[in-house]
């Protein structure tokens, strides 16, 4: 019933290779078309082909179960608060990186008009959320489930953060991945993850658009940024209140949901061996190489 975790680890490494080769090339040629190709053909298609070829129950593996309306609304609020908290982790990371040198703003440009804004919401919000959730919180999380429901959430979150190959957002994405995994686990629905992921990405797109319009009069991205410590402290206090409210809502979500809990029997040492399996180990090495390269660029070494 559950995909073999070794098979999925190989698929994960294959997808990572596709992202850093084909994905890089198509996005360099055309950002929006490139992202559509990346999400549909490099992320989603391998998952669907794998499940069909192996004849797994797609609905079961991917948790294609309906989500209740009140739960969907709760997930949106959770995602908004999660965006605030994950933003603090990203801000803190970037603060320390700024001590090495000038840190670049993420390369995705802000929308220049409302038409482009809606296109970004569709591509970065809806498409990315659906494809990435099916891969990560669908296939990957299900494959590691026999190690325990909670363990599978965190293992998947680590894989999710590595797949983005970005040192600046690693901790923020790790937190977001854990949060989305918990939502999918509690609701037993991949749609919970899609809703949360879409909400998170859409907030980022909207914020980028409005900040660009407000500060620059046009949507032209800044190239580098300096982060004063007072900004980190101020945002940290704001994020703390969000984290407290988030904890309350997650407790409520736990109260109103009753998923099937798998309590794995593997010990932590055994679970760490996952990262020594060759496709996972190679994925880790690729990730470490990419973030080391990014750190050296920030420091001005290369």
């Amino acid at each position: 019933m559950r995909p073999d975790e070794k098979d999925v680890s190989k698929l994960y490494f294959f997808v990572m290779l596709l992202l850093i080769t084909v994905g890089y090339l198509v996005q360099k040629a055309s950002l929006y078309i490139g992202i559509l190709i990346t999400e549909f053909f490099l992320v989603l298609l391998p998952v669907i082909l794998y499940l069909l070829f192996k004849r797994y129950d797609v609905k079961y593996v991917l948790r294609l179960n309906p989500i209740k309306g009140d739960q969907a609304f709760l997930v949106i609020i959770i995602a908004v608060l999660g965006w605030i908290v994950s933003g603090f982790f990203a801000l803190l990371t970037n603060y320390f990186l700024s001590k090495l040198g000038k840190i670049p703003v993420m390369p995705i440009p802000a929308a220049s008009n409302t038409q482009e804004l809606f296109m970004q919401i569709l591509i970065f919000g809806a498409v990315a959320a659906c494809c990435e959730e099916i891969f990560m919180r669908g296939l990957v999380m299900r494959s590691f489930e026999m190690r325990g429901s909670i363990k599978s959430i965190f293992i998947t979150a680590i894989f999710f953060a590595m797949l983005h190959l970005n040192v600046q957002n690693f901790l923020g994405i790790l937190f977001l991945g854990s949060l989305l995994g918990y939502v999918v686990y509690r609701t037993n629905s991949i749609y919970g993850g899609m809703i949360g992921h879409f909400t998170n990405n859409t907030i980022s797109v909207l914020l980028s658009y409005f900040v660009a319009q407000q500060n620059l009069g046009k949507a032209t991205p800044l190239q580098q940024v300096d982060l004063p410590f007072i900004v980190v402290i101020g945002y940290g206090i704001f994020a703390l209140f969000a984290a407290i409210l988030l904890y309350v809502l997650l407790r409520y979500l736990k109260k109103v949901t009753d998923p099937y809990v798998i309590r794995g029997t593997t010990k932590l040492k055994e679970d760490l061996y996952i990262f020594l399996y060759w496709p996972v180990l190679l994925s880790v090495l690729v990730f470490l190489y990419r973030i080391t390269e990014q750190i050296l660029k920030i420091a001005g070494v290369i």
Side-chain angles (χ1 to χ4, degrees), residues 70-86:
D70 56 340
Q71 291 181 1
F73 179 74
L74 180 60
V75 168
I76 293 174
I77 305 302
I78 287 173
V80 172
L81 295 171
W83 181 87
I84 296 172
V85 177
S86 66

Side-chain angles (χ1 to χ4, degrees), residues 1-17:
M1 293 292 290
R2 292 177 179 84
D4 181 78
E5 62 182 45
K6 290 186 176 181
D7 283 346
V8 172
S9 296
K10 295 173 186 176
L11 182 66
Y12 174 83
F13 178 58
F14 175 67
V15 169
M16 179 178 280
L17 290 182

Side-chain angles (χ1 to χ4, degrees), residues 192-212:
M194 291 178 180
I195 292 170
H197 200 148
F198 171 78
T199 302
N200 176 86
N201 289 10
T202 299
I203 293 173
S204 297
V205 167
L206 290 172
L207 182 65
S208 176
Y209 172 74
F210 288 119
V211 167

Side-chain angles (χ1 to χ4, degrees), residues 230-245:
I230 189 65
V231 173
V232 179
I233 294 296
Y235 190 88
I237 295 172
F238 176 57
L240 177 61
F241 284 104
I244 294 172
L245 184 54

